[in-house]
Amino acid sequence: MSRAMGDSHRRFLQTMMSNGIISASQAEALHKHCCETHGAHYVADRLDDFINVINSQLQPLFMYIRKGMSEENGLEYYALVNMTDTEITRMASDYADNELELFRKTMDLIVDSESGSASSTDILNCADSLRTKKLKKKETEHVLNKFVQDKWLNEKDGEYTLSVRCVVEMEQYMRTIYQDLIKVCHVCHNIALQCQMCENPACGIKVHLPCAARYFRARSDPHCPACNDFWPHEIPEMQRFQSQSSQNLPSSTRENTAPTPSRRSRRS
């Protein structure tokens, strides 16, 4: 029998409903605040147990608080996910039909690219060939800004990537639509778009940049964790991700720290 929610759980859920997604550090601070405010027993390392109580009550409502990792910095986030909607139609109440079509095309570009990103130029070109209603350049830029503000996309130096919120909420949709293109990180087993890839044609596993930094740390002669071939990529510095983790910034700011990798199509 599932444990009933207390006022501390309800306060936590209300904050999640208001924000949609928060970083793990914010979730830990919120957990402590909710317990102390309502006089509930607080155990620092029991956040996931605390959230599981909420999830057991959300299950009949087809809602769920799910944990995900940012591909850019390796930080963990918690997102409130609607389990009934398995497609981009969950965004329909916030966007017009042509804006949703633009988002689909943007996602197509990102998933199909080797870098896990799409340039603003490529997205603008897509906007000129929408089936629903074409968008002018200024209109497209406005919609893209809205996608970033609503935490569906990240943007850095004209390159757009899928946010952690998008990957967490759209995971099943992405696995269904892009099943031939989607692969998971060999280390963390989450969807891998911005990553390094084993160059052995018989292997081809993918590893997120922050996962590569952790896995290959202190290894002077890195080899693929699956096939044991030499790993030819430059290993990211762990210090880079640790310094990002120590910054207590809003999640929207943290997500806009994506590197700008080279862009080659996976289908080329």
Side-chain angles (χ1 to χ4, degrees):
M1 183 175 179
S2 60
R3 178 181 160 194
M5 287 201 303
D7 289 338
S8 58
H9 299 95
R10 295 186 186 92
R11 191 182 191 96
F12 189 98
L13 177 58
Q14 287 172 352
T15 304
M16 286 298 305
M17 292 175 68
S18 175
N19 289 272
I21 183 169
I22 59 176
S23 68
S25 60
Q26 291 171 325
E28 290 164 1
L30 178 62
H31 174 211
K32 181 179 181 180
H33 172 72
C34 291
C35 289
E36 291 180 346
T37 299
H38 296 283
H41 180 58
Y42 169 70
V43 181
D45 60 352
R46 301 295 292 273
L47 173 60
D48 286 345
D49 290 341
F50 182 86
I51 289 176
N52 284 339
V53 173
I54 300 174
N55 281 336
S56 67
Q57 301 299 317
L58 290 178
Q59 188 174 7
L61 304 175
F62 302 101
M63 301 289 288
Y64 195 82
I65 297 176
R66 178 181 289 171
K67 184 190 296 186
M69 187 197 78
S70 168
E71 292 189 297
E72 289 89 353
N73 53 33
L75 296 177
E76 289 187 332
Y77 290 81
Y78 289 86
L80 182 62
V81 178
N82 186 338
M83 306 297 288
T84 58
D85 295 325
T86 57
E87 300 181 7
I88 293 178
T89 49
R90 74 181 63 200
M91 301 166 63
S93 60
D94 297 319
Y95 301 98
D97 289 343
N98 57 344
E99 294 173 342
L100 291 175
E101 185 181 357
L102 178 68
F103 187 84
R104 289 189 183 94
K105 287 183 176 294
T106 301
M107 185 178 282
D108 289 345
L109 289 172
I110 291 172
V111 173
D112 194 37
S113 73
E114 189 173 89
S115 65
S117 65
S119 70
S120 56
T121 301
D122 287 343
I123 298 173
L124 287 170
N125 289 337
C126 285
D128 195 45
S129 59
L130 297 179
R131 296 179 181 178
T132 46
K133 181 183 178 182
K134 293 181 180 180
L135 289 168
K136 297 178 181 178
K137 180 180 178 181
K138 288 292 184 182
E139 294 173 328
T140 304
E141 291 173 345
H142 174 75
V143 175
L144 287 173
N145 286 335
K146 188 176 180 184
F147 288 151
V148 172
Q149 290 172 2
D150 292 345
K151 303 176 185 177
W152 292 110
L153 297 177
N154 298 324
E155 185 276 333
K156 183 176 175 64
D157 298 331
E159 292 285 327
Y160 288 85
T161 58
L162 300 183
S163 71
V164 62
R165 177 193 181 184
C166 181
V167 175
V168 169
E169 292 205 33
M170 301 288 186
E171 179 178 359
Q172 191 56 51
Y173 171 84
M174 293 170 65
R175 288 179 182 271
T176 301
I177 300 299
Y178 307 110
Q179 53 187 300
D180 294 332
L181 294 174
I182 289 292
K183 287 190 176 182
V184 299
C185 172
H186 186 80
V187 175
C188 72
H189 308 294
N190 291 316
I191 287 177
L193 297 174
Q194 300 173 65
C195 54
Q196 295 177 345
M197 183 174 179
C198 178
E199 295 185 354
N200 179 356
C203 179
I205 67 159
K206 294 183 176 182
V207 179
H208 289 128
L209 297 180
C211 292
R214 284 190 288 266
Y215 182 83
F216 293 115
R217 180 170 49 181
R219 301 189 188 200
S220 58
D221 188 28
H223 286 76
C224 174
C227 70
N228 206 37
D229 269 21
F230 176 71
W231 195 261
H233 307 286
E234 180 180 353
I235 306 304
E237 294 183 6
M238 190 67 190
Q239 185 178 1
R240 164 190 162 191
F241 301 106
Q242 289 174 335
S243 63
Q244 290 176 357
S245 300
S246 65
Q247 297 173 351
N248 188 21
L249 298 176
S251 57
S252 58
T253 304
R254 283 177 171 171
E255 288 186 64
N256 288 329
T257 57
T260 307
S262 58
R263 298 189 69 254
R264 292 177 293 162
S265 173
R266 293 175 182 169
R267 291 173 177 163
S268 61

